[in-house]
Amino acid sequence: QTYIGTISIRGKKNIGFVNVPGLEGDLVVPAGETGISLDGDTVEVALSGNPVPAGKAPDVLPLEISPQPVVP
């Protein structure tokens, strides 16, 4: 299953948090897996298949990135 949402890149490790409308909580893109996505880009992600520890968000991997338009 894939999800489309807006990615927020945070921290020194560039961990991505994807906000998907209709889902409670964010999906997490692990450090090193955010590719060329920038804070605010629209991304399509898929579940990574990694086990999810109790109380943690599932890891996802980016499939497609739609950059924000550049505003002069």
Side-chain angles (χ1 to χ4, degrees):
Q1 183 172 2
T2 63
Y3 300 94
I4 296 176
T6 303
I7 193 166
S8 298
I9 308 291
R10 298 288 180 257
K12 292 179 182 178
K13 294 183 179 180
N14 291 329
I15 297 171
F17 297 91
V18 181
N19 180 288
V20 177
L23 282 185
E24 185 176 323
D26 292 337
L27 301 175
V28 177
V29 180
E33 297 292 339
T34 56
I36 62 168
S37 57
L38 299 174
D39 195 53
D41 284 349
T42 298
V43 295
E44 181 178 6
V45 296
L47 295 176
S48 68
N50 293 335
V52 181
K56 298 288 184 178
D59 286 350
V60 293
L61 299 174
L63 299 176
E64 185 173 325
I65 300 165
S66 300
Q68 282 186 308
V70 176
V71 179

